[in-house]
Amino acid sequence: MKNIIIGLALIFGGLAMIFSTANSSFGDGMLPRVLFIGGILVAVIGLFVGIRGAVHAGKRDTR
């Protein structure tokens, strides 16, 4: 259950990083590009952590 919550937090954190670049153009320098790509990476990592936690919880419940 802990991994599912951590995964959700990472997904929402990544989405917040992505949406924080919504009103800035990519000509503003390196920071919007880094936030956008980093947000995608954080959200994908959170997705895998959440799926892994859900699979682990499912295996534990069936015993």
Side-chain angles (χ1 to χ4, degrees):
M1 187 67 190
K2 183 176 68 174
N3 280 346
I4 298 172
I5 295 171
I6 292 171
L8 284 173
L10 285 171
I11 289 170
F12 286 121
L15 287 176
M17 289 170 70
I18 291 169
F19 288 129
S20 69
T21 64
N23 59 359
S24 63
S25 66
F26 285 107
D28 290 342
M30 201 63 184
L31 186 63
R33 191 172 296 134
V34 169
L35 279 175
F36 186 75
I37 295 171
I40 291 174
L41 288 175
V42 168
V44 168
I45 290 170
L47 188 67
F48 284 122
V49 168
I51 289 173
R52 187 171 157 257
V55 167
H56 186 68
K59 284 181 183 175
R60 191 172 56 232
D61 289 343
T62 56
R63 285 186 200 168

